């Protein structure tokens, strides 16, 4: 009975791990593939930089310096966003590698518990019946 519970729980955890990896992979590939489109145009850039309600509270000199810093970083950010779709294949490899490591760890844990159940069962610990112990057999 404990063997069945062990393997049922282990396979359920493996299924949950698989669904989690698949979902994370799907979202990551979508974000990486659409990185250029998600960057948006100038309207999105202005909204992301500083909201209008916050501009009223920031001194104009500080706001000019902030916009100058962000505009100087613009070409570097755009180059990295342009390179993002090429990284989608690497995300797939990384997702498979992480899934494999997680699956191996889960199955090793399940096998370890299986062996532990066998050892406990063999030595008669926790069965509650004295008929399975060596002392009862010696009588």
């Amino acid at each position: 009975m404990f063997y069945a519970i062990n393997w049922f729980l282990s396979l359920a955890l493996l299924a949950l791990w698989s669904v989690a990896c698949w979902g994370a992979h799907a979202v990551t590939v979508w974000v990486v593939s659409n990185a250029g489109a998600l960057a948006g145009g100038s309207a999105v850039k202005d909204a992301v930089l500083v909201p209008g309600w916050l501009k009223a509270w920031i001194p104009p000199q500080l706001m000019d310096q902030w916009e100058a810093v962000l505009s100087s970083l613009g070409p570097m950010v755009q180059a990295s966003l342009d390179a993002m779709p090429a990284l989608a294949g690497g995300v797939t490899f990384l997702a498979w590698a992480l899934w494999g490591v997680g699956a191996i760890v889960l199955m090793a844990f399940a096998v370890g518990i299986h062996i532990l159940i066998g050892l406990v069962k063999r030595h008669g610990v926790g069965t509650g019946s004295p008929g399975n112990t060596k002392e009862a057999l010696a009588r």
Side-chain angles (χ1 to χ4, degrees):
M1 178 71 171
F2 290 118
Y3 292 118
I5 292 171
N6 171 44
W7 286 105
F8 175 76
L9 290 176
S10 299
L11 293 177
L13 284 174
L14 181 62
L16 287 174
W17 173 246
S18 298
V19 168
C21 285
W22 172 73
H25 172 261
V27 169
T28 305
V29 166
W30 178 78
V31 168
V32 168
S33 297
N34 296 317
L38 291 174
S42 63
V44 174
K45 189 170 105 175
D46 289 340
V48 170
L49 292 180
V50 177
W53 62 269
L54 187 59
K55 283 185 181 181
W57 294 94
I58 298 176
Q61 299 85 5
L62 183 62
M63 195 64 200
D64 292 339
Q65 289 177 353
W66 177 251
E67 288 177 357
V69 167
L70 288 180
S71 65
S72 67
L73 294 176
M76 183 174 59
V77 170
Q78 187 61 41
S80 64
L81 287 176
D82 291 339
M84 283 291 185
L87 299 176
V91 170
T92 301
F93 173 76
L94 183 64
W96 274 107
L98 287 175
W99 178 85
V101 168
I104 289 171
V105 167
L106 284 171
M107 287 298 105
F109 188 67
V111 168
I113 291 177
H114 184 95
I115 292 170
L116 184 65
I117 291 170
L119 289 173
V120 168
K121 203 172 179 183
R122 180 184 309 162
H123 291 293
V125 177
T127 60
S129 63
N132 291 341
T133 62
K134 292 180 182 178
E135 296 153 7
L137 293 175
R139 288 185 213 172

